Amino acid sequence: MSEPRPTVRRRRLATVLVKLREEAGKSPEDAAERIGCHRSKISRVENARLGISLGEVRDLLRFYGVDDPEYAEEVVNLARRSNERGWTKQLGLRIPSYVDYIDYEETADYIRSFEPMAVSGLLQTADYARALLKATPTMLPNEHITELVKVRIRRQEILNRDAPPRLCVIQGEAALRTQVGGRAVMAAQLKHLEEVSERPNIDLQVLPFSAGAHAGVLGAFVLFGFPTPAFSDIVCLEHRTGTLYMETPEDTSAYTLTFDSLRSTALSPAESLDMISRVRQEL
């Protein structure tokens, strides 16, 4: 029987611990001697295959010369939550990359999304999401579609938290005009976009057809930013069978530049709201 797949938090903790150890010029043997364990334990912790106690994490942080108490506590909190799998496990999601995506979404404090062809998942109504999923060529069974719609709506709860993430969405005009689910479903979806665009933590802009060639011609992407320096930004690119994640400075800076360019090309939030309302009235 294979080991369970490590959580995003455990993999992140492993990455942070390796980075700190290497920056401190310490070997895995040094770390093992510090906390009184075999080298194989350090190897398994740094490969995200084994958990580690909070006391051991604190001891290693001191050994690695981490003298910023706020940063140290963020790493300890990450260790505290490294075994959590959250509500996605309860629903039995079968796509590991989607579980990771939700974890990034829930821990981010800044989400930037470019969606040229479909409404952003965090802003979809249940009927719109259902119609979109039914259009997949893989012919998903109804019970699986129901499960995925439930997950999509549950994801949106992050926008209702006391301290919600900042969400910046750029929607292509095609996403507004494609009648997913028919006129009634689309009218309700556009009305929902009008309503959520009024929230202070949500910036919604439309990239009109009239913009012509633009920086996002290669397609949709999502950028996650996090409230701690321990985590780099994450770029997410969805494809037919999963999601590609990139977090090197070169990748994230390139997509940040792309998003900034798209924001400057898109309509302002006020102009975007006018267009959404106009498209809805034209249905």
Side-chain angles (χ1 to χ4, degrees), residues 88-231:
T88 54
K89 184 178 181 183
Q90 298 171 9
L91 292 176
L93 284 181
R94 289 162 282 191
I95 308 173
S97 64
Y98 192 26
V99 174
D100 287 352
Y101 184 94
I102 293 171
D103 205 321
Y104 289 133
E105 199 171 61
E106 289 197 319
T107 53
D109 69 341
Y110 186 23
I111 303 173
R112 288 160 287 180
S113 174
F114 172 53
E115 292 287 352
M117 299 303 297
V119 171
S120 174
L122 287 174
L123 303 181
Q124 292 177 10
T125 65
D127 288 338
Y128 179 96
R130 186 175 296 106
L132 207 59
L133 290 165
K134 284 184 176 180
T136 178
T138 53
M139 297 294 290
L140 296 174
N142 286 333
E143 60 270 19
H144 193 188
I145 289 176
T146 298
E147 172 191 306
L148 290 174
V149 170
K150 185 187 302 183
V151 170
R152 192 156 300 184
I153 300 306
R154 176 71 179 269
R155 284 169 47 200
Q156 297 174 9
E157 291 182 7
I158 65 170
L159 301 176
N160 300 319
R161 295 189 309 216
D162 290 339
R166 180 186 176 194
L167 175 64
C168 296
V169 177
I170 299 175
Q171 294 283 179
E173 185 175 344
L176 308 181
R177 296 193 178 278
T178 303
Q179 292 188 18
V180 175
R183 290 186 177 182
V185 169
M186 201 62 209
Q189 175 61 76
L190 293 173
K191 181 65 175 176
H192 180 64
L193 291 180
E194 293 176 54
E195 293 169 351
V196 297
S197 68
E198 301 289 347
R199 296 190 185 188
N201 62 307
I202 296 178
D203 293 327
L204 178 58
Q205 293 179 255
V206 174
L207 186 67
F209 292 142
S210 60
H214 54 76
V217 291
L218 294 181
F221 63 89
V222 179
L223 265 168
F224 291 125
F226 303 94
T228 166
F231 306 149

